[in-house]
Amino acid sequence: MPNRNADDDALLALSNQLCFAVYSTALAFNGVYKPLLDGLGLTYPQYLVMLVLWERDDVPVKDIGQLLHLDSGTLTPLLKRLEAAGLVSRQRSARDERQVRITLTEAGRALRERAKAVPQGIFAACGLSTPTLLKLKDELIALRDRLDAASG
Amino acid sequence: MPNRNADDDALLALSNQLCFAVYSTALAFNGVYKPLLDGLGLTYPQYLVMLVLWERDDVPVKDIGQLLHLDSGTLTPLLKRLEAAGLVSRQRSARDERQVRITLTEAGRALRERAKAVPQGIFAACGLSTPTLLKLKDELIALRDRLDAASG
DNA sequence: AACAAATATTTTGCAAGCAATTTAATTGTT
DNA sequence: AACAATTAAATTGCTTGCAAAATATTTGTT
């Protein structure tokens, strides 16, 4: 039986609360993005993939997964939907036939212009000053990296 | 054509990055919780529901939804799984037949003891001091509430 | 060269999460 | 009392997200 009292429990419950804060904030962000992305025909994870591709085209699935912390079981069907929507093309690499490389179509590139309005809506909804926003982002990334390290 | 330059774009991109930080931290938290909750036979959202019930038993689905920011489309099947697992019972309220009230079974109450070990693992994985953790939590809750307000 | 180990992607199955619709019960209005 | 409006859950359909297994290719070893 561990030697622990009510104060310890309250303290420990904080980490539960931090996780819930992150969890519910992620859901709330989705609620703000949704109406903005609906017009583009994208979901939030699909938008993330497009952000990657707008930054660097012709990317293997694996790299997208590492950048977005998603595995191929999530990405394969998502990318097929983007392909079906005519935004990307998927083709086996000639050099390494195990890889599938993702390339933007003309429509995919064109979507970037329409997507430029999205961040403004998000920024406004956050209601944070730029330094506060920057600090919060950095703290979360640091936390995330520790969590990833802890779970392998 | 909006009058905006590269600096503005970089600034606005920050809100995108904050959202991604929250998103990927939520996924990372899940990765830490998963092995801890697997032993209890719970998923993270199920664990959240159990936390609510351990705090206050005999709760309408609606109240659980408000506390966890989840709607009935998510909760109904989740609660049915908890019921199938023998942890809760679902029964229509006598006073208001529209409501379904959720009550812990004996097994549901008993699970609380085994769940006490969970927060310790999370706290350790976070690697944050208690004040830092508290502040981060509060900032996220404030952000979440602003986001919820912005999306209705 | 033969073959084991590692790598990249796909597939399958399950549990969220949400929008939109449906059903049933309650409340409010005339 | 009759009837419209509201409310609480449940249902349907679609998109994540992950674990585990399957497939195919490449790399490493002997």
Side-chain angles (χ1 to χ4, degrees):
Chain A
M1 175 83 77
N3 183 9
R4 197 149 45 74
N5 60 30
D7 280 357
D8 289 338
D9 286 348
L11 229 68
L12 287 169
L14 266 185
S15 45
N16 262 341
Q17 289 174 41
L18 174 62
C19 180
F20 177 66
V22 172
Y23 170 80
S24 55
T25 304
L27 298 185
F29 257 123
N30 196 52
V32 176
Y33 270 101
K34 189 159 215 320
L36 297 171
L37 294 178
D38 273 351
L40 306 178
L42 294 175
T43 64
Y44 179 67
Q46 290 169 3
Y47 173 67
L48 289 178
V49 169
M50 295 304 288
L51 285 177
V52 168
L53 293 170
W54 288 327
E55 205 63 38
R56 169 164 84 90
D57 202 353
D58 191 26
V59 188
V61 175
K62 174 127 200 287
D63 290 17
I64 298 177
Q66 282 176 339
L67 288 165
L68 301 184
H69 292 70
L70 296 172
D71 70 359
S72 66
T74 300
L75 285 173
T76 295
L78 187 157
L79 290 166
K80 283 185 177 176
R81 275 174 222 120
L82 289 181
E83 186 183 40
L87 298 173
V88 308
S89 81
R90 307 159 56 244
Q91 49 212 8
R92 292 270 161 196
S93 164
R95 262 192 298 133
D96 184 341
E97 297 250 347
R98 292 170 302 180
Q99 287 190 357
V100 169
R101 302 185 75 94
I102 309 300
T103 319
L104 287 170
T105 62
E106 198 46 58
R109 261 186 301 277
L111 192 63
R112 185 179 198 172
E113 278 308 311
R114 286 208 285 144
K116 277 195 171 156
V118 172
Q120 294 156 59
I122 304 301
F123 185 78
C126 287
L128 292 174
S129 71
T130 306
T132 307
L133 195 152
L134 190 64
K135 184 153 178 284
L136 188 51
K137 182 207 68 164
D138 287 341
E139 285 175 345
L140 283 167
I141 296 294
L143 171 59
R144 180 199 68 193
D145 291 345
R146 273 193 302 276
L147 292 171
D148 278 340
S151 73
Chain B
M1 175 82 76
N3 183 9
R4 198 147 45 76
N5 60 30
D7 279 358
D8 289 338
D9 287 348
L11 230 67
L12 287 169
L14 266 184
S15 45
N16 262 341
Q17 288 174 41
L18 175 61
C19 181
F20 177 65
V22 172
Y23 170 79
S24 56
T25 304
L27 297 185
F29 257 122
N30 197 53
V32 176
Y33 269 101
K34 188 161 215 320
L36 296 171
L37 294 178
D38 272 351
L40 306 178
L42 295 175
T43 64
Y44 179 67
Q46 290 170 3
Y47 173 67
L48 289 178
V49 170
M50 295 303 287
L51 285 177
V52 168
L53 293 170
W54 287 328
E55 204 63 39
R56 169 164 84 90
D57 202 353
D58 191 25
V59 188
V61 174
K62 172 122 200 289
D63 290 16
I64 298 177
Q66 282 176 339
L67 288 165
L68 302 183
H69 297 240
L70 296 172
D71 70 359
S72 68
T74 300
L75 284 174
T76 296
L78 186 157
L79 290 166
K80 283 184 178 176
R81 276 174 222 120
L82 289 181
E83 186 183 41
L87 298 174
V88 308
S89 80
R90 307 158 57 244
Q91 48 212 8
R92 291 271 161 195
S93 164
R95 260 192 300 132
D96 185 341
E97 297 250 347
R98 292 172 303 180
Q99 287 190 357
V100 169
R101 303 184 75 92
I102 309 299
T103 319
L104 287 170
T105 62
E106 197 45 58
R109 260 187 300 277
L111 192 64
R112 186 178 198 171
E113 278 309 311
R114 285 207 286 144
K116 277 195 171 155
V118 171
Q120 294 156 59
I122 304 302
F123 185 78
C126 287
L128 292 174
S129 71
T130 306
T132 306
L133 196 152
L134 190 64
K135 184 152 178 285
L136 188 52
K137 182 207 67 164
D138 287 341
E139 286 174 346
L140 284 167
I141 296 295
L143 171 59
R144 180 200 68 192
D145 290 346
R146 273 192 302 275
L147 293 171
D148 278 341
S151 73

